[in-house]
Structures are given as structure tokens and as C-alpha cells.
Amino acid sequence: MIHQNRRKELLSQIDDNAVVVISTNPEQFRNGDVTFPFRPHSDFFYLTGFQEPQAVAVISRNTYTMFLRDKDPDREIWDGERLGLTDAPEILKLEKALNINLLEDHLAQLITAENVVYFDEKPCDFDRMLSNLLSSYTIKSLQDPLHEMRLIKDEFEMSTMQKAANISMVAHVLAMKYVFPNMFEYELQSVFDAHFVKNNAVHAYTPIVAGGKNACVLHYIENNQPLKSGDLVLIDAGCELDYYASDITRTFPVNGQFSEPQKQIYQIVLDAQLAAINSIKPGADVHMPHKIACDIIQQGLENLGLLAPGEPLSKFYMHGTGHWLGMDVHDVGKYQINKQHRVFEKGMVITVEPGIYIRKDDKINPIYHDIGIRIEDDVLVTNTGNTVLTEQLAKTIDEIETLMSED
Ligand SMILES: [Mn+2]
């Protein structure tokens, strides 16, 4: 029903003579004949609720047709059950189910020269073929209307995202309690692997478990070094549950106690993050959290003498302060409209994740070397302000040290 309503809503927003053509993701080989676990394309799943590979949906005011794989008893012994053409109409609320092998011959029968086709080519062979099949029609981008819809989360989506956040928060707590000096980063990662699997969730993105100076490599995913007493460990890990992502970063001391220099840097990042979150409410400029975070970090680093007044912050803070979150971890939706920052609206979900990364450098007091800190929460815009979906997870220096000292 939820997918049916979305199709209806989409059609109400696009041309009367529109025909939407959308394929799911291609299957990806890992090695030999082994595939990665299949995940449908987010746009495709959002509109159809269909989870099998090799499928194309055609949606208009006159038809809802799906091209999909038919039953194949021999293949199903190996790869599992398929929905098949007979059951698909009732389960997926289709008007018509057609074999995916007939796509080339039958697609043209569903579209006339008067139609406008809403289609976006994904970078894969299948979509290049699809694009060729559609080359004689007027094409418009489906993403413009569809991604605006995905940007605003409905009740079901909000509650799924809260569940995903809850699972991820528990995993971060378990990691804070489990960590000890000289264990390897991957051992700490295993806490997330196990907890996500136990909850029928998967990693929403490759997790970062970065001890000491590794935290200064923004996309460090090797996770294969020992964690040293006296260092911090930065963990950026979140699960995807029922196709909705969570995205959390916490940074905490391997031995349970922040050093003084670590505390000084941590408190600046935390102050920046809290102030940035505070600025999120309907009608506020979506660029505001980043501006506020940058101002506070700049001032904090100047106060410690790590930056000269007015010196560019990019040396220590070189990424944005957040991104949309939803079915994709870096979710769809524009940040600007007509080259102007847009404003927050109820139902948007954004991450807030400022950081400070201090590499070894002759000009910097060595007590601050190799400190990398990021704090990231997931924030839902409400009627009057915001709700932090990841609010319950320890974040202040005291909360983290207390949690880590408990048995
Ligand atoms: Mn993030």
C-alpha cells in the first residue's frame, strides 16, 4: 500500500502523459561466479517494494507493468524462490507482469510517441541498453520529482530510521565497553558486525574503525591496526535496516580515559556539534549547521594557539558538516534550489558530523599530534525543531568515561 501511494503521489506531480521507466540495480560479481548480496536500487524499491534483481517497472496513469524473472525450478534450487509472473500482479499490485526476457520486444508497446518518458540511466550495461530502447522518446529526469519525495520522510520511514538508529546506538555502546589496549581495530569492528547481523540489519556503509593517527585519514577502512593505550579510536559505523540507514560516529579513548589535550579538542568538536544541531528547525537555512560548526571550531583552535587568527580552518577540518540520510547513507535530495541554500522542512533527516583532524606537523605542539575526532548524530526535522534519533548514545566526555568504567 505504501508503495502504491508513492506511485500515485509521483504521478500527480509529473506530466499527464508521463511514463516512468525504472530498473533495479544490476547484480554485482565479487569473484568468479560469486555475487555480492543483492540490494535493490533505492528509487526502484521506494516505488515498487520489489526486492528481486533483473526487474524493470513501467508506471503511468494507464498502466503499472513490471518486467521480471519468471519462475525457474532449476535455478530456484540454487538461488532461492522467485515471485514469478503468475503471482506478481497480486503481490505487487500490478496491472501486468511480463517476462524480463521480453523487455526489448514489449517495452515499445507500452509507450507511444505522445508520451514523455521519465528515466535516468544508471552507469551499468543494462541501463545503457534500456536507454537505447528509449532513444526515440522525449526523456525527462525522474530524479527531480522522485528525490524531492524521498527527501521528506513519512511516518513509516521515520520509525524505521529510529529502529536503525537504535540498533546502531547499542552497537556503539557495546564497542565502548569492549575495547581494550592492543586489540586490533577489526576485533572492535566485529562488535558491529555481530550486533547488526543479530538484528537482521547490515552495514549501511563500510565501517571506519580508526585508532590514533588513522582517524586523520577520513576514509580509513583497512581497520587492521592495533589500538594503543593513550590513543583515541574513532568509529563511524551505522546499520541499514529494511533499506533505511543510520550513520553514527563516536570517538573515545582506548584505555577509557581522555588525556588533557584530547579533552580540549574533543570539547571543541562537541560544542560545535551541539550548536549546529540546535540550529536545525523548519525554515532554517540548511547551510547554517556547517557555518556554526566552522565558526566554533575556528575560535576553539585559535584559543589553543593551533590556528593563527583568520588562518584557514581547512587544515584541520576539511569536510562538510552533514548530509541527507535515508535509504542511501548519503541520501538523495538537493541542498540548493536555484543556487540558493534551501531551508529545512519537517520530515528531512540530516547528519551533523563536525570533526578536527591534527596530523604530525613541525609547527604544531606535539601534544596534539595524531588526534582525530568526529562526532556524528542523525537529526530529524520536526514541526517545531528537531529530534536527534541518536540522542541516547553517550557523547560528552563524562558520559563516555563513565560508561567505559562500568562493568
Ligand atoms: Mn555521515
Side-chain angles (χ1 to χ4, degrees):
M1 203 55 171
I2 213 165
H3 305 282
Q4 202 169 15
N5 289 340
R6 288 170 183 165
R7 292 192 297 274
K8 219 160 114 189
E9 171 66 24
L10 175 67
L11 287 171
S12 78
Q13 292 187 20
I14 57 183
D15 301 321
D16 286 342
N17 59 345
V19 178
V20 172
V21 178
I22 183 168
S23 69
T24 194
N25 274 332
E27 290 166 284
Q28 301 282 354
F29 285 100
R30 182 178 187 278
N31 60 351
D33 61 353
V34 176
T35 53
F36 283 102
F38 179 71
R39 186 199 188 272
H41 191 269
S42 297
D43 285 341
F44 179 87
F45 186 83
Y46 182 84
L47 289 174
T48 66
F50 189 45
Q51 312 188 46
E52 289 187 20
Q54 298 180 44
V56 176
V58 180
I59 305 163
S60 74
R61 284 179 175 69
N62 305 316
T63 187
Y64 176 32
T65 298
M66 180 92 70
F67 293 90
L68 70 161
R69 303 177 308 181
D70 201 1
K71 303 284 288 179
D72 180 340
D74 288 341
R75 276 322 307 172
E76 289 180 51
I77 289 171
W78 295 89
D79 302 329
E81 207 179 332
R82 298 178 180 184
L83 179 57
L85 300 182
T86 312
D87 291 339
E90 193 193 327
I91 302 291
L92 299 175
K93 309 276 178 262
L94 302 173
E95 191 219 343
K96 213 178 338 179
L98 294 170
N99 195 311
I100 185 74
N101 297 329
L102 302 177
L103 180 72
E104 290 189 45
D105 296 335
H106 282 63
L107 183 61
Q109 295 174 18
L110 298 169
I111 311 170
T112 71
E114 286 75 49
N115 287 132
V116 174
V117 177
Y118 281 74
F119 169 74
D120 301 291
E121 184 183 321
K122 293 189 281 294
C124 63
D125 289 345
F126 186 87
D127 269 26
R128 267 187 290 282
M129 181 274 290
L130 201 48
S131 199
N132 280 333
L133 292 179
L134 297 169
S135 59
S136 64
Y137 299 101
T138 307
I139 304 282
K140 282 192 184 177
S141 172
L142 172 63
Q143 290 179 355
D144 292 338
L146 186 61
H147 290 180
E148 281 300 302
M149 284 175 62
R150 278 181 54 191
L151 180 56
I152 309 294
K153 276 69 182 175
D154 62 25
E155 293 295 327
F156 166 80
E157 294 179 296
M158 292 178 205
S159 100
T160 306
M161 290 185 75
Q162 182 66 70
K163 285 180 200 159
N166 292 347
I167 294 167
S168 298
M169 284 192 283
V170 170
H172 277 268
V173 169
L174 292 171
M176 287 180 199
K177 288 181 163 293
Y178 179 56
V179 69
F180 54 85
N182 302 323
M183 82 190 306
F184 282 83
E185 292 162 342
Y186 52 75
E187 292 179 85
L188 195 51
Q189 182 192 321
S190 74
V191 171
F192 291 82
D193 302 345
H195 190 70
F196 292 171
V197 172
K198 263 188 219 171
N199 286 279
N200 198 22
V202 295
H203 284 279
Y205 52 94
T206 308
I208 296 168
V209 182
K213 67 179 167 54
N214 297 336
C216 296
V217 179
L218 296 179
H219 288 164
Y220 176 82
I221 53 171
E222 285 77 10
N223 303 351
N224 61 3
Q225 295 302 306
L227 295 166
K228 296 191 207 95
S229 182
D231 277 353
L232 298 174
V233 55
L234 179 156
I235 302 183
D236 186 343
C239 75
E240 174 184 300
L241 178 74
D242 296 339
Y243 303 122
Y244 285 87
S246 53
D247 185 1
I248 303 178
T249 307
R250 286 294 184 269
T251 309
F252 52 92
V254 170
N255 64 16
Q257 296 281 317
F258 287 89
S259 69
E260 276 314 310
Q262 288 166 352
K263 279 185 185 173
Q264 290 170 346
I265 304 297
Y266 191 93
Q267 195 59 46
I268 296 171
V269 178
L270 181 59
D271 291 344
Q273 204 240 10
L274 293 172
I277 291 174
N278 232 339
S279 73
I280 297 176
K281 58 182 179 211
D285 185 326
V286 298
H287 188 62
M288 210 32 110
H290 183 59
K291 194 187 170 308
I292 289 171
C294 287
D295 287 350
I296 290 175
I297 292 173
Q298 177 91 33
Q299 193 58 56
L301 292 174
E302 285 179 15
N303 292 346
L304 290 180
L306 289 168
L307 280 179
E311 197 184 344
L313 177 59
S314 56
K315 185 164 143 192
F316 298 117
Y317 181 36
M318 59 300 277
H319 59 75
T321 297
H323 51 82
W324 304 128
L325 184 70
M327 297 187 78
D328 298 339
V329 63
H330 295 157
D331 206 31
V332 296
K334 294 194 167 89
Y335 295 89
Q336 297 189 341
I337 292 176
N338 299 328
K339 297 191 178 154
Q340 301 279 321
H341 302 303
R342 70 189 306 163
V343 296
F344 286 113
E345 295 169 47
K346 184 193 171 195
M348 292 175 171
V349 181
I350 195 163
T351 67
V352 180
E353 48 178 311
I356 296 176
Y357 312 92
I358 308 174
R359 285 165 195 73
K360 262 199 183 63
D361 180 331
D362 295 345
K363 297 181 204 88
I364 294 166
N365 184 341
I367 62 169
Y368 296 111
H369 281 178
D370 296 333
I371 293 180
I373 293 170
R374 177 165 66 254
I375 308 172
E376 176 176 30
D377 284 302
D378 304 342
V379 180
L380 166 70
V381 184
T382 61
N383 264 328
T384 52
N386 70 68
T387 299
V388 181
L389 300 177
T390 45
E391 178 79 54
Q392 297 306 314
L393 180 57
K395 182 158 74 172
T396 66
I397 290 167
D398 270 0
E399 283 167 354
I400 288 173
E401 288 188 342
T402 302
L403 180 72
M404 292 184 74
S405 70
E406 291 165 2
D407 288 329

